[in-house]
Amino acid sequence: MSETQSEPPVWSPLDLRREHLLNNLVTVVALLFWGRVLLYGLNQEVPRAKYGAVFLAGGVLIYVLDELRDLEGTDRLERLGLWACALVGVAVPAYVWLHYEVLETQRIGYALGYEYAIGGLFGLVVLYLTYRAFGAAFAGVVIASVLYAYFGNLITGLLSHGGIAAEQIINVLTMEFDGFFGSITQVVAVKVALFLLYAGLMQGYGAFDLIMRLSFRTAKYLRSGVAQSAVISSLIVGSINGAQTANAAMTGSFTIPLMKESGMKADSAGGIEAVASSGGQIMPPVMGAAAFVMASLIPGIGYVDVLIAGIIPALVFYISVAIGVHYMSIKQLPEGGIDLDSRLDDLEEGYHPVIEAIRFGVPFAVLLYTLGIAQWTVISSALYTCGAMVVTGAGLPIILSIVGDADPIGTVRDAANDTVSGFKFGAVAIAPIAIIIAAVNGIVDLLNATGLPGKLSLAIVGVAGGILLFTAILSMVVCLILGLGMPTVAAYTIVALLIAPTLTGEFALEPVAAHFFVFYAAILSGITPPIAIAVVVTTGIAESNFWKTALEALKLGLPLFVLPFTFIYNPEIVTGGLGLATAGSGLIVLLGAVAITHGLNCAPDPFGISSPLSYGVRAVYVALGVVAMVWPSLLPRLGVVAVALVLIALQTQVTRDTGVGAVPGGD
């Protein structure tokens, strides 16, 4: 259902009863789904490929039931179609599960006649549910991949291939443990799912309300703090759920109205939330599903290595965004702001801050210790984190009710309801991810079968003339185009297959640097028109103009479009661990981003120079910032940073002496 729908549907008594039954059914299936996930996490008693099939079946069933719950009774044809999707979506993975040994060991490269039929039906189900969940753009990518695989013999030139028969396409996608049930689906099923359960439990116990309250309280001490609440809350929430659209919808529903109420333009409010939400998934210690996929795609590194590599770039990302938000806020927000206490009252008050810190801090500490210090496996770390979340989230209120004046029985009932709600939240969140990952896995394996990655690599290098800078720019454009309209994990997986090999194979770049380049480019596609999926969500909440909101997001995020090139020309920022060299390089990059932000947002007449000459001054700031972020030698970077800081200081002094060319936020 659309988030901007003006009038809710009118529900008949029959619709209400049906919705109630389906809601209960979703809850029951969610509990069974997580029971199976937890059982695998504890025992790992079946092959990963076999487990991936049952995981995908559960995701399809939960997604369909959740969609059915939102349909009106008049949508009978659509309802019938969804029930058919549920039947096929469960039956075919069940068939694959039951015949795993035969399919995996004996029948490789071919299938039986009826298997092609049911496999084709399952492919149509995945395509339809992909369209339903993520729109026509991504469904079009799936169709284009299938058509390219089938009609490759009709294409001339570098991208031609011999063509793949329809039966073989179906076999690759459904009856072999590649395609929909392939390695990426297995990574999500085994490693990502439990972190979505952790996110669901946090939501069930009220952690996200706590995050919003903390963000709003922080906003009381900064003039730009109202807008900074979007940055802070999106950073924390996005690190766990790893989905820019879900992050934008969840935090934006609070932060965007707050920013508008405080005096910020709707376009700016939507743009700020879109950028902040897009970056949440790059923040350790979770980094969403894409970090797990990256660890599986780069030989010789683990998930913890990806997290360590991502710390400095994530800090640069968020600090530069926070500074840009400050500039934008100072221009628009009045002195004194709004009464945040009244907005805090709108959020349900929880326990004492110390109690809440224990409830949600202990599981987070368990995650940090098990994953980062003890370096347990991802599955073990996630299991212990989820267990700690249940113990503290449900246990502490029960203990407090026993020693206090509250009703213990009622508290136990509330804790049980919150736990079940958390399981349900997590299941509903991961269901569309399971579907999109299955589709992406199918695209990846089909394109691999056609040899497209190697051919595209040759094409990019040929067009760029073998020059690294031109290749990087062209690769960035391709990443932005391929990522339009896709969730980050899907966008990253595709560009990691198609683009990263170009950078590592032709120019011998470090694999981590190349993958972080395409990862950040895939993220930025969420704020890049014409689709800009994160902006679409925030525009709906802000009731703003899409193109103006996208322009505000691009203006705020411009340093972030330069940041991926840092990974190519100064790879130590992601390959150097957490040493002084990495920190020093990260600081220079951050100061470069600040120079770009200042150039874009400083007063209309810096140094008292009026337009159009003032645009030249702004361009100088931007150019200095780009050099500081990208230039491969240390001394020139230090020099341009020093020049930029001196210019900013001089501009501030001119402002104080003459009162013109004011720096936002200056005295």
Side-chain angles (χ1 to χ4, degrees):
M1 296 178 65
S2 174
E3 302 211 19
T4 59
Q5 195 170 358
S6 58
E7 295 183 4
V10 178
W11 295 90
S12 68
L14 179 60
D15 289 335
L16 293 174
R17 287 196 298 271
R18 184 186 291 118
E19 194 272 341
H20 178 70
L21 290 173
L22 285 169
N23 186 61
N24 290 338
L25 186 56
V26 170
T27 302
V28 171
V29 174
L31 293 174
L32 293 173
F33 174 81
W34 286 122
R36 188 65 188 86
V37 171
L38 291 170
L39 179 63
Y40 179 85
L42 290 169
N43 299 326
Q44 300 179 42
E45 79 289 3
V46 296
R48 181 178 291 188
K50 187 176 181 180
Y51 168 66
V54 72
F55 172 82
L56 179 55
V60 168
L61 182 58
I62 291 169
Y63 176 78
V64 169
L65 292 175
D66 192 52
E67 288 291 291
L68 284 166
R69 185 181 57 175
D70 292 334
L71 285 181
E72 296 181 69
T74 54
D75 301 321
R76 293 179 180 176
L77 183 60
E78 188 175 7
R79 187 178 296 278
L80 182 62
L82 284 172
W83 279 116
C85 288
L87 177 61
V88 175
V90 171
V92 175
Y95 178 88
V96 171
W97 166 280
L98 293 173
H99 296 82
Y100 170 77
E101 285 75 16
V102 174
L103 294 173
E104 180 72 355
T105 61
Q106 298 179 24
R107 256 197 301 174
I108 300 175
Y110 74 98
L112 303 178
Y114 71 89
E115 290 176 338
Y116 289 126
I118 64 174
L121 285 175
F122 186 68
L124 291 175
V125 166
V126 172
L127 177 62
Y128 172 69
L129 296 182
T130 299
Y131 164 75
R132 190 178 183 92
F134 298 98
F138 189 74
V141 173
V142 178
I143 295 172
S145 300
V146 173
L147 293 177
Y148 174 73
Y150 184 74
F151 292 108
N153 60 324
L154 301 180
I155 301 174
T156 59
L158 181 64
L159 300 182
S160 67
H161 63 90
I164 303 176
E167 292 82 0
Q168 187 60 26
I169 291 174
I170 294 173
N171 194 46
V172 168
L173 292 178
T174 61
M175 291 297 146
E176 293 183 357
F177 290 90
D178 297 316
F180 297 146
F181 308 115
S183 59
I184 305 172
T185 297
Q186 295 163 27
V187 167
V188 172
V190 173
K191 297 182 178 181
V192 178
L194 287 170
F195 284 99
L196 268 294
L197 175 58
Y198 172 45
L201 290 170
M202 288 185 66
Q203 185 166 342
Y205 294 131
F208 294 135
D209 285 345
L210 171 63
I211 292 169
M212 297 305 301
R213 291 201 301 272
L214 292 176
S215 299
F216 288 172
R217 288 195 174 100
T218 303
K220 295 171 66 174
Y221 304 102
L222 285 171
R223 184 176 171 187
S224 63
V226 171
Q228 299 293 357
S229 66
V231 178
I232 298 169
S233 56
S234 295
L235 180 153
I236 300 172
V237 174
S239 175
I240 297 169
N241 67 20
Q244 57 192 169
T245 52
N247 193 355
M250 185 181 300
T251 61
S253 61
F254 289 100
T255 60
I256 290 175
L258 183 69
M259 285 187 276
K260 289 176 63 179
E261 185 179 339
S262 66
M264 183 163 284
K265 295 185 297 184
D267 301 328
S268 299
I272 289 171
E273 182 58 53
V275 175
S277 296
S278 296
Q281 58 216 308
I282 66 171
M283 180 60 68
V286 179
M287 290 180 66
F292 295 96
V293 177
M294 185 184 297
S296 70
L297 293 179
I298 304 177
I301 74 165
Y303 174 62
V304 174
D305 299 315
V306 175
L307 297 185
I308 293 173
I311 291 175
I312 298 298
L315 290 176
V316 171
F317 189 110
Y318 262 97
I319 293 174
S320 63
V321 169
I323 293 172
V325 167
H326 178 74
Y327 274 97
M328 294 174 69
S329 301
I330 290 300
K331 289 182 177 181
Q332 299 183 34
L333 298 183
E335 293 282 356
I338 62 173
D339 180 15
L340 287 173
D341 292 327
S342 62
R343 288 306 303 263
L344 285 168
D345 292 338
D346 294 338
L347 292 171
E348 181 183 355
E349 288 296 334
Y351 296 95
H352 189 277
V354 175
I355 301 298
E356 290 187 316
I358 295 173
R359 287 184 78 199
F360 302 113
V362 168
F364 193 69
V366 169
L367 173 63
L368 292 178
Y369 174 78
T370 56
L371 200 58
I373 299 176
Q375 296 195 6
W376 292 1
T377 65
V378 171
I379 296 177
S380 297
S381 300
L383 282 172
Y384 275 88
T385 301
C386 291
M389 189 69 257
V390 173
V391 169
T392 59
L396 274 181
I398 295 173
I399 294 173
L400 292 174
S401 69
I402 293 174
V403 300
D405 298 329
D407 175 21
I409 296 177
T411 304
V412 170
R413 183 170 56 251
D414 291 341
N417 289 335
D418 290 342
T419 303
V420 171
S421 296
F423 276 82
K424 182 180 174 183
F425 285 140
V428 171
I430 201 169
I433 294 176
I435 293 169
I436 192 72
I437 286 299
V440 168
N441 218 148
I443 293 172
V444 166
D445 287 324
L446 276 182
L447 295 184
N448 271 329
T450 65
L452 179 64
K455 297 173 182 178
L456 186 61
S457 175
L458 291 175
I460 291 175
V461 173
V463 172
I467 300 173
L468 178 57
L469 176 61
F470 294 158
T471 302
I473 294 173
L474 185 58
S475 297
M476 179 79 161
V477 173
V478 173
C479 288
L480 292 174
I481 294 173
L482 291 176
L484 292 178
M486 296 189 196
T488 300
V489 62
Y492 162 69
T493 304
I494 291 177
V495 298
L497 164 74
L498 297 178
I499 304 301
T502 303
L503 301 174
T504 57
E506 299 296 332
F507 298 98
L509 290 181
E510 289 281 347
V512 173
H515 277 260
F516 264 88
F517 176 89
V518 299
F519 178 36
Y520 270 63
I523 289 171
L524 293 170
S525 67
I527 60 173
T528 304
I531 296 179
I533 190 170
V535 177
V536 169
V537 175
T538 60
T539 294
I541 299 173
E543 299 179 340
S544 58
N545 178 274
F546 169 80
W547 291 103
K548 291 182 179 179
T549 304
L551 181 61
E552 291 292 298
L554 291 174
K555 184 177 178 181
L556 176 62
L558 182 61
L560 310 179
F561 284 86
V562 181
L563 182 57
F565 293 91
T566 301
F567 307 146
I568 292 180
Y569 289 100
N570 296 283
E572 72 278 356
I573 196 172
V574 289
T575 62
L578 293 178
L580 285 177
T582 304
S585 181
L587 179 61
I588 295 172
V589 171
L590 174 60
L591 292 174
V594 171
I596 295 174
T597 301
H598 180 79
L600 293 173
N601 294 279
C602 62
D605 52 348
F607 297 102
I609 302 173
S610 60
S611 298
L613 295 179
S614 65
Y615 290 106
V617 178
R618 292 167 178 266
V620 169
Y621 280 122
V622 172
L624 291 174
V626 171
V627 172
M629 295 180 71
V630 175
W631 197 266
S633 300
L634 179 61
L635 288 179
R637 295 169 69 202
L638 288 172
V640 297
V641 165
V643 171
L645 293 177
V646 168
L647 287 177
I648 293 174
L650 288 175
Q651 184 178 341
T652 303
Q653 189 62 45
V654 168
T655 300
R656 290 172 176 168
D657 293 343
T658 66
V660 297
V663 180
D667 294 333

